[in-house]
Amino acid sequence: MTGKKYRKVLSVGILAMIGVVAISLSGCSAKWDREMKSTMSNWSGGLNRTVTVYDYNGQEIKSWTGKFDVTEDDNEVYFDDENGKRVIIQGGIVINEEN
């Protein structure tokens, strides 16, 4: 492949990549914002948040406020509080809100 032809193919490839990235980011800005917030949370040690657990009658059992990451699965919610202690919540109604 000659130098001129190679530059043309490379230019077309770069333009195609820019187009794909622009299209993928334009239609999902909310998703992009969520992904960026999650990434920053992972790098900075969590988000400033309040986690509150309620019983099934709506009475507050306990609340934690601080900067931490929260992980949820089907059976439990867990996080390490600001003192480094692991908190595992099984059952109840858990409200996890960003401050």
mmCIF file of all heavy atoms in Angstrom, residues 26-62:
data_model
loop_
_atom_site.group_PDB
_atom_site.id
_atom_site.type_symbol
_atom_site.label_atom_id
_atom_site.label_comp_id
_atom_site.label_asym_id
_atom_site.label_seq_id
_atom_site.Cartn_x
_atom_site.Cartn_y
_atom_site.Cartn_z
ATOM 1 N N SER A 26 -24.241 10.270 22.313
ATOM 2 C CA SER A 26 -25.298 11.277 22.173
ATOM 3 C C SER A 26 -26.654 10.790 22.650
ATOM 4 O O SER A 26 -27.432 11.567 23.184
ATOM 5 C CB SER A 26 -25.403 11.722 20.718
ATOM 6 O OG SER A 26 -25.864 10.653 19.907
ATOM 7 N N GLY A 27 -26.964 9.520 22.506
ATOM 8 C CA GLY A 27 -28.292 9.022 22.842
ATOM 9 C C GLY A 27 -28.436 8.540 24.261
ATOM 10 O O GLY A 27 -29.521 8.164 24.679
ATOM 11 N N CYS A 28 -27.372 8.533 25.033
ATOM 12 C CA CYS A 28 -27.466 7.948 26.366
ATOM 13 C C CYS A 28 -26.685 8.761 27.378
ATOM 14 O O CYS A 28 -25.868 8.225 28.115
ATOM 15 C CB CYS A 28 -26.991 6.508 26.347
ATOM 16 S SG CYS A 28 -25.329 6.308 25.710
ATOM 17 N N SER A 29 -26.926 10.049 27.417
ATOM 18 C CA SER A 29 -26.159 10.902 28.329
ATOM 19 C C SER A 29 -26.451 10.570 29.787
ATOM 20 O O SER A 29 -25.562 10.658 30.627
ATOM 21 C CB SER A 29 -26.431 12.371 28.043
ATOM 22 O OG SER A 29 -27.778 12.687 28.296
ATOM 23 N N ALA A 30 -27.680 10.180 30.115
ATOM 24 C CA ALA A 30 -27.995 9.821 31.499
ATOM 25 C C ALA A 30 -27.215 8.572 31.915
ATOM 26 O O ALA A 30 -26.673 8.519 33.022
ATOM 27 C CB ALA A 30 -29.491 9.588 31.657
ATOM 28 N N LYS A 31 -27.144 7.601 31.024
ATOM 29 C CA LYS A 31 -26.380 6.393 31.325
ATOM 30 C C LYS A 31 -24.905 6.734 31.486
ATOM 31 O O LYS A 31 -24.230 6.229 32.388
ATOM 32 C CB LYS A 31 -26.570 5.354 30.220
ATOM 33 C CG LYS A 31 -25.848 4.066 30.496
ATOM 34 C CD LYS A 31 -26.078 3.046 29.409
ATOM 35 C CE LYS A 31 -25.306 1.779 29.717
ATOM 36 N NZ LYS A 31 -25.409 0.803 28.662
ATOM 37 N N TRP A 32 -24.391 7.575 30.618
ATOM 38 C CA TRP A 32 -23.002 8.003 30.685
ATOM 39 C C TRP A 32 -22.728 8.700 32.021
ATOM 40 O O TRP A 32 -21.718 8.436 32.666
ATOM 41 C CB TRP A 32 -22.687 8.926 29.519
ATOM 42 C CG TRP A 32 -21.329 9.503 29.547
ATOM 43 C CD1 TRP A 32 -20.987 10.781 29.858
ATOM 44 C CD2 TRP A 32 -20.099 8.837 29.257
ATOM 45 N NE1 TRP A 32 -19.631 10.952 29.783
ATOM 46 C CE2 TRP A 32 -19.064 9.770 29.406
ATOM 47 C CE3 TRP A 32 -19.781 7.542 28.877
ATOM 48 C CZ2 TRP A 32 -17.733 9.445 29.207
ATOM 49 C CZ3 TRP A 32 -18.440 7.233 28.668
ATOM 50 C CH2 TRP A 32 -17.439 8.165 28.831
ATOM 51 N N ASP A 33 -23.642 9.584 32.455
ATOM 52 C CA ASP A 33 -23.481 10.280 33.731
ATOM 53 C C ASP A 33 -23.444 9.290 34.896
ATOM 54 O O ASP A 33 -22.640 9.439 35.817
ATOM 55 C CB ASP A 33 -24.613 11.286 33.948
ATOM 56 C CG ASP A 33 -24.530 12.478 33.011
ATOM 57 O OD1 ASP A 33 -23.449 12.697 32.412
ATOM 58 O OD2 ASP A 33 -25.546 13.181 32.879
ATOM 59 N N ARG A 34 -24.322 8.279 34.856
ATOM 60 C CA ARG A 34 -24.339 7.264 35.920
ATOM 61 C C ARG A 34 -23.038 6.477 35.946
ATOM 62 O O ARG A 34 -22.494 6.192 37.014
ATOM 63 C CB ARG A 34 -25.530 6.322 35.748
ATOM 64 C CG ARG A 34 -26.858 6.948 36.140
ATOM 65 C CD ARG A 34 -27.965 5.917 36.193
ATOM 66 N NE ARG A 34 -28.202 5.233 34.939
ATOM 67 C CZ ARG A 34 -28.998 5.668 33.972
ATOM 68 N NH1 ARG A 34 -29.647 6.801 34.119
ATOM 69 N NH2 ARG A 34 -29.160 4.978 32.865
ATOM 70 N N GLU A 35 -22.541 6.112 34.770
ATOM 71 C CA GLU A 35 -21.287 5.365 34.699
ATOM 72 C C GLU A 35 -20.125 6.187 35.236
ATOM 73 O O GLU A 35 -19.265 5.674 35.947
ATOM 74 C CB GLU A 35 -20.999 4.927 33.263
ATOM 75 C CG GLU A 35 -21.920 3.833 32.755
ATOM 76 C CD GLU A 35 -21.760 2.538 33.522
ATOM 77 O OE1 GLU A 35 -20.641 2.183 33.930
ATOM 78 O OE2 GLU A 35 -22.785 1.870 33.736
ATOM 79 N N MET A 36 -20.090 7.468 34.900
ATOM 80 C CA MET A 36 -19.020 8.338 35.388
ATOM 81 C C MET A 36 -19.102 8.497 36.906
ATOM 82 O O MET A 36 -18.084 8.479 37.602
ATOM 83 C CB MET A 36 -19.078 9.713 34.713
ATOM 84 C CG MET A 36 -18.641 9.689 33.258
ATOM 85 S SD MET A 36 -16.996 8.990 33.014
ATOM 86 C CE MET A 36 -15.996 10.140 33.915
ATOM 87 N N LYS A 37 -20.313 8.634 37.450
ATOM 88 C CA LYS A 37 -20.477 8.756 38.892
ATOM 89 C C LYS A 37 -20.015 7.480 39.586
ATOM 90 O O LYS A 37 -19.323 7.524 40.612
ATOM 91 C CB LYS A 37 -21.930 9.045 39.252
ATOM 92 C CG LYS A 37 -22.129 9.261 40.745
ATOM 93 C CD LYS A 37 -23.546 9.620 41.054
ATOM 94 C CE LYS A 37 -23.649 11.125 41.031
ATOM 95 N NZ LYS A 37 -24.886 11.629 41.599
ATOM 96 N N SER A 38 -20.348 6.324 39.022
ATOM 97 C CA SER A 38 -19.907 5.049 39.600
ATOM 98 C C SER A 38 -18.395 4.918 39.561
ATOM 99 O O SER A 38 -17.770 4.484 40.528
ATOM 100 C CB SER A 38 -20.539 3.871 38.850
ATOM 101 O OG SER A 38 -21.921 3.845 39.051
ATOM 102 N N THR A 39 -17.794 5.318 38.458
ATOM 103 C CA THR A 39 -16.339 5.247 38.330
ATOM 104 C C THR A 39 -15.672 6.171 39.338
ATOM 105 O O THR A 39 -14.719 5.772 40.022
ATOM 106 C CB THR A 39 -15.910 5.618 36.902
ATOM 107 O OG1 THR A 39 -16.517 4.696 35.988
ATOM 108 C CG2 THR A 39 -14.412 5.563 36.745
ATOM 109 N N MET A 40 -16.161 7.392 39.463
ATOM 110 C CA MET A 40 -15.585 8.328 40.429
ATOM 111 C C MET A 40 -15.777 7.816 41.855
ATOM 112 O O MET A 40 -14.901 7.980 42.701
ATOM 113 C CB MET A 40 -16.206 9.720 40.267
ATOM 114 C CG MET A 40 -15.854 10.400 38.950
ATOM 115 S SD MET A 40 -14.082 10.493 38.636
ATOM 116 C CE MET A 40 -13.572 11.580 39.927
ATOM 117 N N SER A 41 -16.910 7.193 42.135
ATOM 118 C CA SER A 41 -17.160 6.620 43.454
ATOM 119 C C SER A 41 -16.145 5.534 43.769
ATOM 120 O O SER A 41 -15.611 5.469 44.875
ATOM 121 C CB SER A 41 -18.577 6.056 43.515
ATOM 122 O OG SER A 41 -18.763 5.305 44.692
ATOM 123 N N ASN A 42 -15.858 4.690 42.789
ATOM 124 C CA ASN A 42 -14.886 3.618 42.991
ATOM 125 C C ASN A 42 -13.495 4.173 43.256
ATOM 126 O O ASN A 42 -12.741 3.628 44.056
ATOM 127 C CB ASN A 42 -14.858 2.683 41.784
ATOM 128 C CG ASN A 42 -16.118 1.872 41.651
ATOM 129 O OD1 ASN A 42 -16.833 1.660 42.619
ATOM 130 N ND2 ASN A 42 -16.408 1.413 40.453
ATOM 131 N N TRP A 43 -13.119 5.242 42.582
ATOM 132 C CA TRP A 43 -11.785 5.826 42.733
ATOM 133 C C TRP A 43 -11.644 6.634 44.017
ATOM 134 O O TRP A 43 -10.579 6.730 44.584
ATOM 135 C CB TRP A 43 -11.443 6.715 41.555
ATOM 136 C CG TRP A 43 -11.153 5.962 40.298
ATOM 137 C CD1 TRP A 43 -10.979 4.605 40.154
ATOM 138 C CD2 TRP A 43 -11.005 6.513 39.000
ATOM 139 N NE1 TRP A 43 -10.742 4.300 38.840
ATOM 140 C CE2 TRP A 43 -10.747 5.459 38.106
ATOM 141 C CE3 TRP A 43 -11.065 7.803 38.512
ATOM 142 C CZ2 TRP A 43 -10.543 5.652 36.757
ATOM 143 C CZ3 TRP A 43 -10.865 7.988 37.160
ATOM 144 C CH2 TRP A 43 -10.602 6.925 36.298
ATOM 145 N N SER A 44 -12.738 7.244 44.476
ATOM 146 C CA SER A 44 -12.636 8.160 45.614
ATOM 147 C C SER A 44 -13.100 7.557 46.931
ATOM 148 O O SER A 44 -13.210 8.263 47.920
ATOM 149 C CB SER A 44 -13.442 9.430 45.324
ATOM 150 O OG SER A 44 -14.820 9.122 45.244
ATOM 151 N N GLY A 45 -13.398 6.276 46.954
ATOM 152 C CA GLY A 45 -13.788 5.639 48.215
ATOM 153 C C GLY A 45 -15.260 5.706 48.528
ATOM 154 O O GLY A 45 -15.673 5.471 49.661
ATOM 155 N N GLY A 46 -16.079 5.997 47.552
ATOM 156 C CA GLY A 46 -17.522 5.984 47.761
ATOM 157 C C GLY A 46 -18.157 7.343 47.565
ATOM 158 O O GLY A 46 -17.501 8.336 47.279
ATOM 159 N N LEU A 47 -19.463 7.361 47.743
ATOM 160 C CA LEU A 47 -20.242 8.588 47.661
ATOM 161 C C LEU A 47 -20.701 8.974 49.061
ATOM 162 O O LEU A 47 -20.878 8.109 49.924
ATOM 163 C CB LEU A 47 -21.469 8.382 46.775
ATOM 164 C CG LEU A 47 -21.231 8.090 45.306
ATOM 165 C CD1 LEU A 47 -22.548 7.782 44.606
ATOM 166 C CD2 LEU A 47 -20.550 9.266 44.639
ATOM 167 N N ASN A 48 -20.923 10.252 49.273
ATOM 168 C CA ASN A 48 -21.487 10.710 50.530
ATOM 169 C C ASN A 48 -22.962 10.336 50.516
ATOM 170 O O ASN A 48 -23.720 10.827 49.679
ATOM 171 C CB ASN A 48 -21.284 12.218 50.683
ATOM 172 C CG ASN A 48 -21.663 12.701 52.053
ATOM 173 O OD1 ASN A 48 -21.800 11.924 52.985
ATOM 174 N ND2 ASN A 48 -21.838 13.996 52.188
ATOM 175 N N ARG A 49 -23.355 9.459 51.428
ATOM 176 C CA ARG A 49 -24.714 8.925 51.372
ATOM 177 C C ARG A 49 -25.245 8.609 52.755
ATOM 178 O O ARG A 49 -24.506 8.580 53.727
ATOM 179 C CB ARG A 49 -24.766 7.689 50.492
ATOM 180 C CG ARG A 49 -23.934 6.555 51.008
ATOM 181 C CD ARG A 49 -24.020 5.302 50.152
ATOM 182 N NE ARG A 49 -23.106 5.376 49.030
ATOM 183 C CZ ARG A 49 -23.383 4.930 47.815
ATOM 184 N NH1 ARG A 49 -24.528 4.374 47.552
ATOM 185 N NH2 ARG A 49 -22.505 5.030 46.858
ATOM 186 N N THR A 50 -26.542 8.342 52.805
ATOM 187 C CA THR A 50 -27.206 7.875 54.011
ATOM 188 C C THR A 50 -27.905 6.571 53.673
ATOM 189 O O THR A 50 -28.647 6.493 52.691
ATOM 190 C CB THR A 50 -28.239 8.903 54.522
ATOM 191 O OG1 THR A 50 -27.550 10.118 54.828
ATOM 192 C CG2 THR A 50 -28.958 8.397 55.751
ATOM 193 N N VAL A 51 -27.640 5.554 54.479
ATOM 194 C CA VAL A 51 -28.307 4.263 54.336
ATOM 195 C C VAL A 51 -29.170 4.078 55.578
ATOM 196 O O VAL A 51 -28.679 4.175 56.703
ATOM 197 C CB VAL A 51 -27.292 3.101 54.215
ATOM 198 C CG1 VAL A 51 -28.007 1.769 54.193
ATOM 199 C CG2 VAL A 51 -26.433 3.273 52.976
ATOM 200 N N THR A 52 -30.453 3.848 55.370
ATOM 201 C CA THR A 52 -31.389 3.659 56.472
ATOM 202 C C THR A 52 -32.112 2.342 56.268
ATOM 203 O O THR A 52 -32.541 2.039 55.154
ATOM 204 C CB THR A 52 -32.419 4.803 56.532
ATOM 205 O OG1 THR A 52 -31.714 6.052 56.543
ATOM 206 C CG2 THR A 52 -33.299 4.705 57.755
ATOM 207 N N VAL A 53 -32.236 1.560 57.336
ATOM 208 C CA VAL A 53 -32.971 0.304 57.270
ATOM 209 C C VAL A 53 -34.235 0.443 58.128
ATOM 210 O O VAL A 53 -34.193 0.974 59.236
ATOM 211 C CB VAL A 53 -32.100 -0.915 57.696
ATOM 212 C CG1 VAL A 53 -31.677 -0.828 59.133
ATOM 213 C CG2 VAL A 53 -32.799 -2.215 57.417
ATOM 214 N N TYR A 54 -35.355 0.015 57.544
ATOM 215 C CA TYR A 54 -36.661 0.076 58.201
ATOM 216 C C TYR A 54 -37.199 -1.334 58.367
ATOM 217 O O TYR A 54 -36.908 -2.228 57.550
ATOM 218 C CB TYR A 54 -37.657 0.877 57.341
ATOM 219 C CG TYR A 54 -37.278 2.311 57.131
ATOM 220 C CD1 TYR A 54 -36.494 2.709 56.053
ATOM 221 C CD2 TYR A 54 -37.722 3.295 58.009
ATOM 222 C CE1 TYR A 54 -36.153 4.029 55.860
ATOM 223 C CE2 TYR A 54 -37.389 4.629 57.818
ATOM 224 C CZ TYR A 54 -36.601 4.987 56.748
ATOM 225 O OH TYR A 54 -36.260 6.306 56.548
ATOM 226 N N ASP A 55 -38.035 -1.534 59.395
ATOM 227 C CA ASP A 55 -38.724 -2.814 59.495
ATOM 228 C C ASP A 55 -39.908 -2.801 58.530
ATOM 229 O O ASP A 55 -40.171 -1.799 57.857
ATOM 230 C CB ASP A 55 -39.136 -3.119 60.937
ATOM 231 C CG ASP A 55 -40.213 -2.193 61.498
ATOM 232 O OD1 ASP A 55 -40.896 -1.485 60.720
ATOM 233 O OD2 ASP A 55 -40.381 -2.174 62.720
ATOM 234 N N TYR A 56 -40.609 -3.914 58.435
ATOM 235 C CA TYR A 56 -41.685 -4.015 57.451
ATOM 236 C C TYR A 56 -42.935 -3.227 57.833
ATOM 237 O O TYR A 56 -43.877 -3.130 57.061
ATOM 238 C CB TYR A 56 -42.020 -5.475 57.176
ATOM 239 C CG TYR A 56 -40.880 -6.167 56.460
ATOM 240 C CD1 TYR A 56 -40.074 -7.102 57.107
ATOM 241 C CD2 TYR A 56 -40.577 -5.848 55.137
ATOM 242 C CE1 TYR A 56 -39.016 -7.707 56.446
ATOM 243 C CE2 TYR A 56 -39.520 -6.443 54.474
ATOM 244 C CZ TYR A 56 -38.749 -7.370 55.140
ATOM 245 O OH TYR A 56 -37.693 -7.962 54.492
ATOM 246 N N ASN A 57 -42.929 -2.607 59.029
ATOM 247 C CA ASN A 57 -44.015 -1.721 59.430
ATOM 248 C C ASN A 57 -43.670 -0.255 59.200
ATOM 249 O O ASN A 57 -44.446 0.632 59.516
ATOM 250 C CB ASN A 57 -44.357 -1.935 60.914
ATOM 251 C CG ASN A 57 -44.931 -3.307 61.150
ATOM 252 O OD1 ASN A 57 -45.760 -3.770 60.377
ATOM 253 N ND2 ASN A 57 -44.467 -3.961 62.203
ATOM 254 N N GLY A 58 -42.469 0.006 58.662
ATOM 255 C CA GLY A 58 -42.063 1.371 58.352
ATOM 256 C C GLY A 58 -41.324 2.081 59.462
ATOM 257 O O GLY A 58 -41.035 3.272 59.347
ATOM 258 N N GLN A 59 -40.999 1.377 60.540
ATOM 259 C CA GLN A 59 -40.257 1.979 61.642
ATOM 260 C C GLN A 59 -38.759 1.902 61.365
ATOM 261 O O GLN A 59 -38.240 0.854 60.990
ATOM 262 C CB GLN A 59 -40.571 1.248 62.957
ATOM 263 C CG GLN A 59 -42.027 1.314 63.362
ATOM 264 C CD GLN A 59 -42.487 2.748 63.603
ATOM 265 O OE1 GLN A 59 -41.824 3.505 64.301
ATOM 266 N NE2 GLN A 59 -43.612 3.107 63.011
ATOM 267 N N GLU A 60 -38.057 3.035 61.566
ATOM 268 C CA GLU A 60 -36.618 3.047 61.330
ATOM 269 C C GLU A 60 -35.913 2.191 62.375
ATOM 270 O O GLU A 60 -36.169 2.303 63.570
ATOM 271 C CB GLU A 60 -36.088 4.484 61.390
ATOM 272 C CG GLU A 60 -34.600 4.573 61.121
ATOM 273 C CD GLU A 60 -34.064 5.992 61.146
ATOM 274 O OE1 GLU A 60 -34.743 6.895 60.613
ATOM 275 O OE2 GLU A 60 -32.968 6.166 61.695
ATOM 276 N N ILE A 61 -35.008 1.333 61.897
ATOM 277 C CA ILE A 61 -34.212 0.502 62.795
ATOM 278 C C ILE A 61 -32.864 1.167 63.054
ATOM 279 O O ILE A 61 -32.450 1.329 64.188
ATOM 280 C CB ILE A 61 -34.009 -0.912 62.201
ATOM 281 C CG1 ILE A 61 -35.356 -1.609 62.060
ATOM 282 C CG2 ILE A 61 -33.048 -1.728 63.055
ATOM 283 C CD1 ILE A 61 -35.297 -2.921 61.307
ATOM 284 N N LYS A 62 -32.164 1.550 61.999
ATOM 285 C CA LYS A 62 -30.853 2.174 62.136
ATOM 286 C C LYS A 62 -30.522 2.934 60.860
ATOM 287 O O LYS A 62 -31.012 2.610 59.789
ATOM 288 C CB LYS A 62 -29.782 1.128 62.417
ATOM 289 C CG LYS A 62 -28.439 1.738 62.741
ATOM 290 C CD LYS A 62 -27.556 0.833 63.522
ATOM 291 C CE LYS A 62 -26.270 1.580 63.792
ATOM 292 N NZ LYS A 62 -25.388 0.926 64.674
#
